[in-house]
Structures are given as C-alpha cells and as structure tokens.
C-alpha cells in the first residue's frame, strides 16, 4: 500500500522580543535631585521677585488707610477710597495725567520702533567685524548711569558755553535755552532714552531674526524679490510675534515714565510739563509724608497697566497673533 506523504507545514519560530524597559517615573524629590543645579540657578530670580515684587504687594493696603508709621500697619484707621477721591478731584490730576500720557505716547511712537529698526539694519550687515563693532557701540550707552546722561546733556546744552548751544547760536543766531524751555523738555527726555536704551533693546530682536529660515530668503531671491520686499514679506512677519509681546509688556508700564530721569531734568522753569505721576508720588509721599495718598496713586497706575495688558492682549488675539497668554 502506497502512502502519500503530505508536505510539512512551515514552522514559524516565534520571535521572543525582549521586554521594553518601563521607565520609572520620578517623583518630585527625584526631579529636584536630578535638576538641582538648574533650580539653584533659578533661585536668585525667584528670590528677587518674591522680595521685591510679591511681598511689597501687602503695602498697597495702606492706600485704603490713613497710615501712621508710629501706630503701625494694623492699627491705622481704615478710610476706604477717600485717598482715591481726593486724588481724582485734585486740580493737579489733569495736568499730571496729561504730562504722563504725552510722554508715554512719545515713548511708544519714537522709542519703541527704534530698536526694531536698528536690529533690521544690523541684520543686513554682512561684514562680521564691522557688525560686531557697531553692536558694541550701540550697547555701551545702556551701562551709563542716568545721572551721567543728565550731566552730559547739561554740559552740551547749557547756555554757559554748551557745545551744542554755541553751535546752534552760530548757525541760526537763535539763543534757545534747551534745559529750561518747556517745549524742549519732552524731546530731550525721548532723545536721552533713545540714545541710552535703543542699542540694548535690539538684543531680543536680533535673537528673533537669527531664527528666520534662510531658505525663505534664498527662494525669494530666486523669485526676484528685492531687499525691501524680503524685509517686508519675510523678516517682519517672522518677528511680528516678538514685537506684539514686547508691545503688550510695554503697555503694562504705560504710565511709568521713570522717576530718576524726570527728576534730574526738572527745574523751576519747565515744571509745568515735567510733573508726572512718578515725581508727584515722590514729592507728596516722601517729602510730605503722605504715604497712603502716594500709595493710592501707585495703585491707580498699576490698575491702569493691568487693564492695558488685558485689552492689548485681547486685541492681539482678535488680529490673529498669539499674544502674551
């Protein structure tokens, strides 16, 4: 009898895969130990904000008190919104608001775009050593004290032998007292800020420009785009998010004109345009001892800043930008 042998079925060997090691999730203590040096580097910044930003927030409560240092914080009389009513009804309020607002608008219109323009110009420089020299030159004024800046302004513009004053007299014959003329106070303030801080402000924009994809420029050159077209259609859209965020942050400090600079440039002849909230708080709060009243003014500025931040961030979202949050 003939037996038919069936073909043997192929035997498939099961491949034994090694088990994937499961990474054990670290707890809080483990993560702190692993990244301990990063947290050590973070510690000074946290302490700064804690000591100088968060702890002083309790001090705003004295704006609702008739604070007396001799009887202490808890024993001072609570007066509610009395200081705010006195401030808004004060005849000086309109003048202070106008001076502060005009300087803030000048700052936004003239100073805020200046670092962007300088950063765009520096980004177009192709000679490396020349670019570094120019960057260093525009950075240096940031490290000069505002006291020195005010002193230099006085030396150049004084009517008693100032270089710029004498040059203007020789060229035009007009004897302009730049330091005392109220019409020149605001331009001088803005020019000082632009000279001192424009270069330092370019750092963020240069960092943003460094992240722009160079292939886009190459494609634009192939398509025949001019340098201005590449700037308008590639560079500016690439850094528009950074510009919007910095603008929102700047609006949060819209009513902060800077006490030191205004105080140094103020004199009896230009005080009508030089008095702003920052200097008014000093004269009322420090020299006259009206601590609660001056704190109420500071709280008013902070509330305005918060409103401007939320409002500008909402507008940025409406126009399709990421915004601050």
């Amino acid at each position: 009898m003939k037996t038919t042998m069936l073909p043997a079925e192929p035997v498939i060997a099961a491949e034994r895969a090694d088990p994937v090691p499961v990474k054990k999730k670290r707890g809080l203590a483990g993560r702190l130990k692993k990244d301990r040096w990063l947290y050590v580097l973070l510690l000074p910044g946290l302490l700064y904000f804690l000591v100088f930003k968060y702890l002083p927030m309790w001090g705003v409560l004295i704006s609702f008190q008739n604070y007396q240092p001799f009887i202490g914080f808890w024993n001072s009389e609570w007066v509610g919104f009395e200081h705010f009513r006195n401030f808004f009804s004060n005849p000086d309020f309109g003048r202070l608001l106008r001076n502060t607002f005009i300087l803030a608008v000048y700052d936004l219109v003239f100073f805020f775009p200046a670092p962007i323009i300088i950063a765009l110009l520096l980004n177009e420089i192709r000679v490396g050593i020349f670019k570094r020299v120019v960057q260093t030159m525009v950075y240096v004024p940031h490290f000069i004290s505002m006291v020195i800046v005010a002193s230099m302004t006085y030396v150049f513009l004084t009517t008693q032998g100032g270089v710029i004053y004498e040059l203007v007299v020789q060229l035009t014959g007009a004897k302009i007292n730049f330091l005392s003329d109220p019409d020149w106070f605001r331009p001088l303030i803005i020019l000082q800020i632009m000279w001192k801080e424009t270069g330092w402000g370019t750092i963020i924009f240069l960092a943003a420009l460094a992240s722009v994809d160079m292939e886009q420029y190459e494609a634009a050159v192939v398509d025949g785009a001019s340098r201005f077209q590449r700037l308008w259609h590639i560079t500016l859209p690439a850094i528009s998010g950074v510009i919007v965020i910095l603008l929102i942050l700047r609006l949060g400090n819209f009513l902060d004109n800077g006490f030191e600079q205004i105080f140094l440039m103020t004199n009896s002849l230009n005080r009508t345009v030089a008095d702003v909230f920052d200097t008014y708080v000093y004269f009322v709060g420090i020299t006259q001892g009206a601590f609660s009243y001056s704190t109420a003014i500071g709280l008013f500025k902070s509330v305005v800043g918060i409103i401007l931040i939320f409002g500008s961030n909402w507008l940025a979202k409406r126009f399709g930008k990421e915004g601050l949050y």
Side-chain angles (χ1 to χ4, degrees), residues 299-310:
L299 183 58
F300 162 73
K301 289 173 49 184
S302 300
V303 171
V304 172
I306 291 175
I307 294 174
L308 290 175
I309 286 179
F310 279 97

Side-chain angles (χ1 to χ4, degrees), residues 92-104 106 178-190 192 255-283 301:
D92 293 329
F93 175 74
R95 178 172 58 88
L96 295 171
L97 181 62
R98 182 178 63 255
N99 294 340
T100 304
F101 182 81
I102 293 175
L103 274 178
Y106 280 12
F178 295 98
L179 299 175
S180 301
D181 189 349
D183 295 334
W184 278 96
F185 176 79
R186 293 174 183 133
L188 287 178
I189 293 296
I190 300 302
Q192 285 178 340
L255 296 182
D256 292 335
N257 301 129
F259 164 76
E260 184 180 16
Q261 181 188 15
I262 304 296
F263 180 78
L264 292 171
M265 296 298 296
T266 301
N267 54 59
S268 58
L269 299 178
N270 61 16
R271 190 174 296 277
T272 55
V273 298
D275 279 340
V276 294
F277 288 138
D278 293 328
T279 55
Y280 185 73
V281 166
Y282 167 76
F283 288 117
K301 289 173 49 184

Side-chain angles (χ1 to χ4, degrees), residues 21 52 82 96 158 190 268 319:
F52 295 103
E82 178 181 347
L96 295 171
T158 179
I190 300 302
S268 58
F319 283 97

Side-chain angles (χ1 to χ4, degrees), residues 7-22:
E9 295 182 0
V11 180
I12 301 175
E15 297 180 1
R16 298 187 59 183
D18 295 334
V20 178
V22 179

Side-chain angles (χ1 to χ4, degrees), residues 76-320:
S76 297
E77 177 187 5
W78 288 86
V79 295
F81 292 93
E82 178 181 347
H83 298 300
F84 295 93
R85 288 192 295 266
N86 293 337
F87 176 56
F88 295 141
S89 61
N90 193 317
D92 293 329
F93 175 74
R95 178 172 58 88
L96 295 171
L97 181 62
R98 182 178 63 255
N99 294 340
T100 304
F101 182 81
I102 293 175
L103 274 178
V105 171
Y106 280 12
D107 182 90
L108 282 180
V109 173
F110 296 105
F111 170 64
F112 183 77
I116 303 174
I117 297 172
I118 298 299
L120 293 174
L121 293 175
L122 289 173
N123 190 58
E124 295 297 322
I125 298 177
R126 295 294 176 259
V127 182
I129 186 170
F130 179 70
K131 181 177 181 179
R132 289 191 292 270
V133 170
V134 174
Q135 283 181 283
T136 303
M137 292 176 62
V138 297
Y139 290 165
V140 168
H142 170 77
F143 301 98
I144 300 177
S145 169
M146 187 54 71
V147 177
I148 303 300
V149 175
S151 301
M152 293 170 57
T153 304
Y154 176 81
V155 171
F156 287 136
L157 300 178
T158 179
T159 56
Q160 300 177 356
V163 176
I164 297 179
Y165 172 80
E166 295 294 340
L167 182 62
V168 171
V169 171
Q170 292 180 9
L171 293 178
T172 65
K175 297 182 179 180
I176 304 174
N177 193 344
F178 295 98
L179 299 175
S180 301
D181 189 349
D183 295 334
W184 278 96
F185 176 79
R186 293 174 183 133
L188 287 178
I189 293 296
I190 300 302
L191 288 174
Q192 285 178 340
I193 296 175
M194 293 179 65
W195 179 80
K196 187 176 185 298
E197 301 295 342
T198 296
W200 188 254
T202 61
I203 294 177
I204 296 178
F205 297 108
L206 287 174
L209 289 170
S211 64
V212 180
D213 188 3
M214 297 302 297
E215 293 182 357
Q216 298 184 27
Y217 291 111
E218 296 172 359
V221 172
V222 172
D223 291 339
S226 64
R227 177 166 293 185
F228 177 78
Q229 289 174 327
R230 298 196 298 268
L231 172 68
W232 185 260
H233 295 287
I234 298 177
T235 307
L236 285 178
I239 64 173
S240 61
V242 177
I243 295 175
V244 170
I245 291 176
L246 292 179
L247 178 59
I248 294 173
L249 293 175
R250 181 64 191 89
L251 288 175
N253 298 321
F254 185 74
L255 296 182
D256 292 335
N257 301 129
F259 164 76
E260 184 180 16
Q261 181 188 15
I262 304 296
F263 180 78
L264 292 171
M265 296 298 296
T266 301
N267 54 59
S268 58
L269 299 178
N270 61 16
R271 190 174 296 277
T272 55
V273 298
D275 279 340
V276 294
F277 288 138
D278 293 328
T279 55
Y280 185 73
V281 166
Y282 167 76
F283 288 117
V284 173
I286 303 300
T287 62
Q288 300 180 17
F291 301 109
S292 295
Y293 183 72
S294 58
T295 304
I297 301 174
L299 183 58
F300 162 73
K301 289 173 49 184
S302 300
V303 171
V304 172
I306 291 175
I307 294 174
L308 290 175
I309 286 179
F310 279 97
S312 57
N313 189 80
W314 178 80
L315 285 176
K317 294 283 188 180
R318 289 295 301 271
F319 283 97

